[in-house]
């Protein structure tokens, strides 16, 4: 950008470009040339930010093509909401691709540097919440964090959680995944003083309203250190946790 | 009822009433005379059931008149959703009336027998939930139970609850009152093996949706021993807890 | 627990374990060993509490493995939300397993003791509500209760219910299962003075909103002895009814 | 209308109006002249239909002015959602005006003919539902019907309703008014074989959702003879009941 | 019933039954024997009421068995929410059975008497609403009414409706079926002065919310002669229309 | 219409038709003949309005038959919500038919005149919103407009949108299609001073509530030049944009 | 903007500013100086766009201050959601201010030029909808349009609307305001072929859900020329109608 | 804790305490003595955590008493949801108390140390959102952070936001407050790569549903770095931002 400005001004100074021409040029510079492109390429330029593809609603062919084009640079590549068929094709162009069945994510590792300053802990209430929890975990890992998990510690058996309080206290950021009544983030939030990112899941039936009950519960958490992301959005929670852990 | 049948049959037998007349009589006996009135007067006849008046939406004059008519029998009298003005008038006709400001209940004690077999414990999450908790407590007391309360033990500071686990373990029935995310019944439910009656409150703001969030959370409790009553329905919880405690 | 404490203390006293070692041991005892384990193993230790597996969302292999590990003790085993394929595999490891097709439950009977003090009655409004009613019934049975059922007595033909009032009056706890407008618990609640546990079902269409209408109706019951569980949660109702019936 | 056509055609035939003029006339006849005005004045022309003013949101001055203009004809006049101040002004221009405080209706009787062929019965669940029930009752009365009421027969004390089944069986149309769980129309509907018009009320709290719960319950009635009007719409129910009763 | 009373009384009078025995008998007479059975068999006894089976959720075998048992009497038989497979089996036991594919109803005609006093008109907004409209039509027909239909006259082309106003004016009861915004009942209601029964349908997408939008619209109709039934409940509308038309 | 009036009047004038006959004729003219038919045929008579068939819920046979009957006139024909099978049949009767796979529309071009005065721009937030955007685009095209599209310019990368502001500023009407939080119309609306038609899509998951979130967001737009259509209603947006562009 | 560029470039050319300084200057120019300010001042610069103040939530003092600062230019000034007290203060600084009591708007006329090319018609269903309709009308007027209104033509008396169809057909854009079931826009939309902007109002009670029912109804309109704005947003509708009418 | 174990074990070893006594002691140690009390006092012990009182629902007397007891230690004290009367009393016991009228917060400064490592920026969409934004700001300040604000930069005038991008890029954590459609967090989130905490406000009307629309929008943000707190929960956002900024 600066370079474009500089050469334009040089031309004006040198008289090789009239002021009128230069004014017109400045007025029509494509916007990305005025500073925002910087933001755009920002992420891919910064170390440790993966390229991410949301697989659902895209064809295998589309996803494969996008992955191919991404192989040119050297960031990690993460495909969320993928499946086995997608993985078969991607493996053909990237042997090192790994499929995480639980979380339905595909990861192509290119950069194993640790960028996060502490540990990210992913906690889940029930076994049925594990796929969403794993999506958060894989995301945090791919973004260069040390991660740990603590599963099946729902509030109906509170001692299971309490007996692992050491693990809770060691984390720098905690992601808590829960369906049904979504009470776990409040309890975890009360036990620690680090940020807790709550992920409601659509696990449950009847009055769980496909996760809306858990979502509402988490938004009303009586623990002040809890913030919330969309239902089943493990990726988002892992992403924000990673941003926080780099600070 | 039996008496009516018997005298009718006697008249038929004696010939003082024709079969036609008797058939007509049997067909037109008001229903309550056929067994259901029994159910109706059932409660007031059984020892220890109070007379209850829901005060809201009734005038002071109406409530006072109802109380007056009830003074004839010897049950306890409970007015819920009352206020100070109502109390002033009722005190005039029943000196022994007591006003519970927190729970907005008026109680006229006539019978202090204990009918419940164990202790009923009322637990509340926040201080703002206390009025509803007190309504449950007073109701249980008026129905002849030993009661105890455990307030301000919300899940964000789980140790406050855990340090009182002895009190939890001694109760025969537990009422748990909570607003906001309504998570407390699940935690309490997981610590005991007696029935837990959950009362959502309208405490909270924004996404608490006037108690709907707490209600939904409680209905989705991962503890199997939890049942739920309407938002702010402390009376109902105290009533059911009393029924259970008499069994 | 006590045993562990005792032997540890004995070793310290005897000098075979240093105080430092004992402190470390006490600090690292898994939490359930410090008092809450009591609660944890509580249920399986108490007579008549079954082992319960929620089958939905688990693979046949997973459920079978869990059942296998449970066969070591002698409690009844209940699998809810199961199916025929699941049953085929379980029968291979537990010949005595029985499949209740209506309620989609598998039961392995080990202990036929009656722990409940009275009779639990399960009432349902329509024939379509029977699967949920049966889940409540089987649960109560497996937990050691005498059970009875009264089906197809919806409020549109009130005399069907009334003609069975004797059966209603004999029950110690009543579970009422209804979809559509969910009115039956109010009517039943008005006829008896024992606790009524209402189970809304997702039966209906259009404005029944998958059971939300029945749920809301039950929460607003004008009968004070009604509490409510989640939509289609027959298991929960049977479980709470059993807890109450043991008191 | 026919008259207009006829005179126009006569003029054309007689040559006193050109075909062009007649075409233009036919094309521009105000619509109400083509048959629909007939419908418009229809109601006020038919005997026994009252003039109705919905008072809420109108000033006393506006309502009084409307009433004044209506006094010219001889139908009954009904003001719903009125109040005492409104009544004071209306009494000044119509001495015979009567104020029904319960239902907040003002009635000016001009025609006491009975147009309905049978009796309309208005049934209500609780005492708090009476204002809405009275609005239905007054409306039916003003429209020339014999009316009866049966109040405080909610489903929690079903025998109260059953003991009055004779009254139910004598009605030609029944209006049932209920708040909270809104179960009464289903029970009444099951006891009779005439049309039942259900009116949900906003009576209740918490999960009654200002009458939405009662409304949903009634729409899901398991009695096939129930139709529903808006929450608190006593007028509408009385109006439809009157239309049916004239058939 | 009367017969039972009479013989019992005769025995008492004759001394062949003691008063004690008779009292016990009267107290234990199953409820339906005390007057309500009358209501129960009421419908099937009254001429022109069909036997109705709601087919959804029942197996072909179950429906066929019910139909078989119904063939003993001579009422019309109506199966709603049926399908072709069901029809194949029913035809085997009742040759005269007819399948109405549009409305998914099976009819077995036994009694073609006209019981309704006037004509029932079924109006529908769009072609997609026709299945529900046909369910109403078939129901009304089976209950002994002259019926007519007027389809595809939605409010976006109001002249289509207006040009058929003669047909509207000839009906004694009108059923109006509409999805999407559900506006048609208001317009029809404004054109006639007979009762209009509105049936919302689940036709539409997005903000139609599976028929809830049409339902809410109809409940807020500015035409006072409109009452509403559940979403897609053509049967209910046809049933109530028939009841009204017999008055 | 005028023609019918004229010939009728001529016959009357000429004496070949009696006044009585003419009156009867006028009274019974189907309504559309009295002025509203004009509106009916209006659209198809006006140049550039296509014939439109909503394909969903219609059989291939039905759609084909309708298309066939439409081929008689010379308007463009548009089938929305179609599919490949439908297209195969239509191509048989109209070789020039084209299938737009993305938007699931079939177009038969008969008239390529441009009726719109300016350019219609269709903007979409994400790639998943493209099918709805394309439906709007094709609709606008078929109605005779110059159209342009600007896809994948969601608000999370605002510079992508800003760099295309010239394209935005050149449009006479803008359609903006977005799912998830539905924020794009507000941003676009703030950058231009022409009408913006917002189309929420059902793209998203969890708290997107099948497009309700995007819909609500758009209705609350802080840009005053935004109006909204139903969720996924690309056709409606394209239609209104076309109407505006002809003004 | 151009001026700033030009002077900067002149300085560079003249050597009075170094290229480095100029580059820094260009990079730090506040954004509005790079093209977007143009958009910002766009509206106030274009003739006939009023200055608008949303009065609700602002103090009288704040609104008066804003008005004062606006008096410097010569656009019309519109204050919506105002009241009498606000008006008293504004009149002190702008004698020509006028208060529209119905719509709660204050207008200060400075420019009476007509910018719209045709007529804007505002139609309302009931008298209670008039305040919102008037807000739309005043807005359109202040933005330089010829406006007309057609009030109290709700769908329950469809002939009232039809008899005014000439007025409908003369409008270039139509705003339709309706509460309750919100059906009027569909009917109006079917009678014209110009854009219809629908405004739901919060008029109604019970199931009108504060205007949500009308809103949903309008979004599902079966007339393709209808778009929708927020509940009670008369201003928005008048604003968009004005934008369209200038095209 | 360790200390308690150690002395107990020493006593056992020394024989001054029997094993039985020690077992009993271990079993009855109050829970807080087992590690959880540590967590409890945790916050107040850590430097820079203020004491917080939620003022709403508490009496002036209660709040003053709590403040008084807090003055003993040396943390900052923050009262949210307070008012002028509350402030008058608190000033009497703490002269240094300051009332922030906009945010309705009272602050008593005791410790002005900066604990946060970077700057926290609070951004708001409209002027009406400022009270909530100020609550976040004051909270962050009291917790020892450098804070900045950027108000009135809603998405309808995107250049206002863009022109301040430098300020955005300098922040370590950003809180974004917005009502209506709640779109601002997505746009801000796309411009930065730090965590964004979104606070929906109840600002708006009609379809804003008291902030639910903004809440849903934010949960569906297409920017991955956005997490959400409850409607109007400025305190919560400021609190979490502070936690993050200390990491």
């Amino acid at each position: 950008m600066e370079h474009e400005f500089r050469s334009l001004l040089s031309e004006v100074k040198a008289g090789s470009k009239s002021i009128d021409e230069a004014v017109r040029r400045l007025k029509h510079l494509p916007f990305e040339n005025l500073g925002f492109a910087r933001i755009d390429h920002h992420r891919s330029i910064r170390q440790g930010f993966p390229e991410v593809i949301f697989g659902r609603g895209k064809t295998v062919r589309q996803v494969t093509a996008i992955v191919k084009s991404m192989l040119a640079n050297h960031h990690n590549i993460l495909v969320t909401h993928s499946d086995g068929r997608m993985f078969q094709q991607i493996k053909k162009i990237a042997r090192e691709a790994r499929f995480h069945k639980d979380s339905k994510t595909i990861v192509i590792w290119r950069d194993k540097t640790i960028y996060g300053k502490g540990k990210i802990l992913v906690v889940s209430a029930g076994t049925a919440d594990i796929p969403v929890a794993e999506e958060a975990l894989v995301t945090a890992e791919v973004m260069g964090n040390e991660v740990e998990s603590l599963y099946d510690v729902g509030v109906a058996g509170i001692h299971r959680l309490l007996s692992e309080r050491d693990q809770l206290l060691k984390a720098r950021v905690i992601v808590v995944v829960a369906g049904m009544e979504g009470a776990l983030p409040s309890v975890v939030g009360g036990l620690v003083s680090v940020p807790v990112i709550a992920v409601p899941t659509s696990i449950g039936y009847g009055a769980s309203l496909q996760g809306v009950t858990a979502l509402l519960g988490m938004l009303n958490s009586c623990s002040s250190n809890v913030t919330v992301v969309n239902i089943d959005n493990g990726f988002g929670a892992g992403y924000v946790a990673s941003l926080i852990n780099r600070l």
Side-chain angles (χ1 to χ4, degrees), chain A:
Chain A
M1 191 64 235
E2 191 177 322
H3 174 70
E4 284 198 51
F5 283 155
R6 197 170 295 275
S7 66
L8 185 74
L9 291 164
S10 302
E11 287 178 289
V12 169
K13 183 158 195 182
S16 66
K17 185 162 244 139
S18 75
I19 285 179
D20 275 8
E21 274 177 308
V23 166
R24 203 159 42 242
R25 178 83 186 97
L26 281 169
K27 279 169 67 184
H28 288 280
L29 267 178
F31 208 78
E32 63 274 36
N33 291 343
L34 287 173
F36 287 91
R38 182 168 49 105
I39 294 155
D40 199 27
H41 299 304
H42 202 206
R43 286 193 192 85
S44 48
I45 290 165
R46 282 176 44 138
Q47 285 180 309
F49 275 77
E51 305 281 357
V52 184
I53 307 164
F54 186 82
R56 187 161 56 184
K58 299 206 177 67
T59 63
V60 170
R61 185 184 301 259
Q62 286 176 317
V63 173
T64 314
I66 300 174
V67 167
K68 203 167 196 173
S69 79
M70 285 173 171
L71 289 171
N73 66 33
H74 297 287
H75 308 116
N76 292 328
I77 298 174
L78 172 67
V79 188
T80 64
H81 294 253
S82 70
D83 57 31
R85 270 183 341 112
M86 223 171 247
F87 174 59
Q88 292 313 320
Q89 293 307 309
I90 289 175
K91 214 167 50 179
K92 289 184 186 159
I93 57 167
R95 282 185 155 229
E96 70 275 36
R98 288 293 168 269
F99 184 46
H100 296 251
K101 206 174 165 188
D102 265 354
S103 58
K104 297 196 171 159
T105 48
I106 299 167
V107 177
I108 306 175
W109 281 101
R110 326 285 292 282
D111 171 12
K112 293 233 169 182
T113 321
I114 291 298
Y115 297 96
K117 296 185 182 158
K119 196 169 283 180
I120 293 176
L121 177 68
V122 179
V123 181
S124 88
T127 51
D129 300 316
I130 291 178
V132 174
E134 282 289 300
E135 192 185 89
L137 199 90
V138 168
T139 301
E141 221 170 1
V142 165
M143 288 179 76
N145 294 283
E146 277 185 84
V147 296
E148 263 181 37
S149 65
L150 182 53
Y151 293 164
D152 200 17
V153 290
V155 299
I158 198 74
H159 62 286
R160 292 179 299 181
L161 178 68
L162 296 177
S163 67
E164 306 292 345
R165 67 192 184 285
D166 283 351
Q167 203 176 353
L168 292 175
L169 293 173
K170 277 187 222 144
R172 198 159 181 256
V173 195
I174 301 180
V175 171
V176 183
V177 180
M180 300 180 76
E181 78 266 64
L184 189 56
S186 289
V187 177
V188 171
L191 294 175
V192 301
S193 46
V194 297
V196 170
I197 300 162
V199 191
T201 70
S202 51
I203 295 306
Y205 61 93
S208 87
L209 305 174
Q210 282 84 52
V212 169
T213 292
L215 170 63
L216 290 171
M218 291 170 179
L219 287 164
N220 284 281
S221 175
C222 47
S223 293
S224 303
N225 51 350
V226 174
T227 60
V228 186
V229 298
N230 195 4
I231 297 163
D232 291 334
N233 188 9
F235 164 71
Y239 190 92
V240 174
S242 300
L243 290 190
I244 294 174
N245 197 29
R246 288 181 180 216
L247 288 179

